[in-house]
Amino acid sequence: MTCVSRRLLGGAVLALAAPAVRAQSRPVRIVVPYAPGGQSDTVVRLIQPKMSEALGQTIVVENRPGGGGTIGASAVVASPADGTTLLFESYGFITQPLIQTSLTYDHEHAFMAIGQAVELPYVLVVKAAFPANDLAGYINEAKRQNGIPFGSPGIGSIGHLAGALLAHRAGVQLEHIPYRGGTEAARDIVGGNLDSAISSANSLRPLVVEGKAKGIALTSGTRRGTLSNLPTIAESGFPGFDFTSWNGMFAPAGTPAPVIARMNEAMRAATSDPGVRERLAASGNDPVSGSAEQFAALVARDRETVRNLVRETRLQLQ
């Protein structure tokens, strides 16, 4: 190879590498499509420092709430696929395409999975004065009253889906009351204005611990988290019942594989850090350190679970 050829080849390699180098030198923007202080915002801010340290880059968390998460997601879709703008989402990522049918992009194929940060069990609780203490009693009371209202963090949330599936499998009426968040549902449980609620363990655990509500069962397939003393719905007469929420990171479709791998390594460094794991656990989350492929498989399974649930129960998500 001549010197001229080597120079041309070297120039071509540098030209191809330049965008990635420039991207790595810029701050990383992580878009949280929900309000500050919520579940997703809390988790990403706990892993942010260690991720930044692992990347050697500044990470800026930007809250873009609205549209059930679609405003923030749309902003990420419209961003360059170079790893500088990412989406930090929850289980709502699965259900939003079924709720927001007017999206201008193919939600299922517009993102690439980077990694999962945490798993989050949901829990069914009842107000302190409710006349049942376990799932069998709860179902019997639903039959006796011809229906029981239950609150959730909103339409399409894990709480909504779990309640719909429980009602279907138990053959009872459960009236869904959507709230803007688990905190609002918890407030009505404490006030005695709501019979039951299905929300995240970190939202409802304080009520159970303080005796302001009674914990009935976890929606996850196995006992986990800070309320692992409670039985699961699955072990209480409904085998196979498993709705577990999560938080994870996504990139716009077309992001190069090396960038995905680099971001996944940074996430795993953060969720494997003992101090970060302790703080995540204290907030009711189970830290996860897995590959991008594992997270993508989880998202695909959950998407199919929700589709089957909608078909089976004729659940209306709009």
Side-chain angles (χ1 to χ4, degrees), residues 106-153:
D106 182 353
H107 191 279
E108 184 173 345
H109 300 100
F111 299 94
M112 298 174 67
I114 292 176
Q116 183 180 0
V118 297
E119 291 178 329
L120 180 66
Y122 268 47
V123 59
L124 166 64
V125 306
V126 296
K127 63 184 181 182
F130 194 80
N133 300 308
D134 56 21
L135 189 62
Y138 180 78
I139 292 171
N140 286 337
E141 195 63 22
K143 292 177 180 177
R144 188 184 71 81
Q145 296 187 29
N146 293 319
I148 293 175
F150 76 98
S152 87

Side-chain angles (χ1 to χ4, degrees), residues 221-281:
T222 59
R223 299 191 187 199
R224 61 173 72 224
T226 53
L227 287 174
S228 58
N229 60 304
L230 293 179
T232 65
I233 292 176
E235 70 183 83
S236 302
F238 300 92
F241 196 107
D242 184 6
F243 274 104
T244 304
S245 191
W246 45 257
N247 285 109
M249 198 89 72
F250 297 87
T255 300
V259 175
I260 297 291
R262 181 169 175 265
M263 293 299 172
N264 177 266
E265 289 173 7
M267 282 191 70
R268 295 171 77 169
T271 57
S272 298
D273 179 81
V276 173
R277 292 180 68 86
E278 182 178 349
R279 288 189 288 275
L280 287 171

Side-chain angles (χ1 to χ4, degrees), residues 73-237:
S74 297
V76 175
V77 168
S79 301
D82 59 5
T84 58
T85 303
L86 308 175
L87 178 69
F88 195 76
E89 252 287 18
S90 66
Y91 200 94
F93 183 85
I94 302 294
T95 57
Q96 279 312 310
L98 300 176
I99 300 171
Q100 307 286 348
T101 56
S102 61
L103 292 177
T104 57
Y105 56 89
D106 182 353
H107 191 279
E108 184 173 345
H109 300 100
F111 299 94
M112 298 174 67
I114 292 176
Q116 183 180 0
V118 297
E119 291 178 329
L120 180 66
Y122 268 47
V123 59
L124 166 64
V125 306
V126 296
K127 63 184 181 182
F130 194 80
N133 300 308
D134 56 21
L135 189 62
Y138 180 78
I139 292 171
N140 286 337
E141 195 63 22
K143 292 177 180 177
R144 188 184 71 81
Q145 296 187 29
N146 293 319
I148 293 175
F150 76 98
S152 87
I155 295 174
S157 67
I158 285 276
H160 182 197
L161 300 175
L165 182 59
L166 177 60
H168 180 70
R169 292 189 60 180
V172 296
Q173 294 293 320
L174 297 177
E175 179 190 358
H176 179 232
I177 310 295
Y179 285 79
R180 288 184 295 180
T183 302
E184 292 188 2
R187 189 180 301 120
D188 274 358
I189 286 284
V190 172
N193 302 315
L194 181 65
D195 283 339
S196 62
I198 306 177
S199 189
S200 62
N202 60 357
S203 294
L204 298 178
R205 178 179 177 273
L207 279 60
V208 176
V209 171
E210 295 167 13
K212 296 177 180 178
K214 293 186 286 189
I216 298 297
L218 297 170
T219 66
S220 50
T222 59
R223 299 191 187 199
R224 61 173 72 224
T226 53
L227 287 174
S228 58
N229 60 304
L230 293 179
T232 65
I233 292 176
E235 70 183 83
S236 302

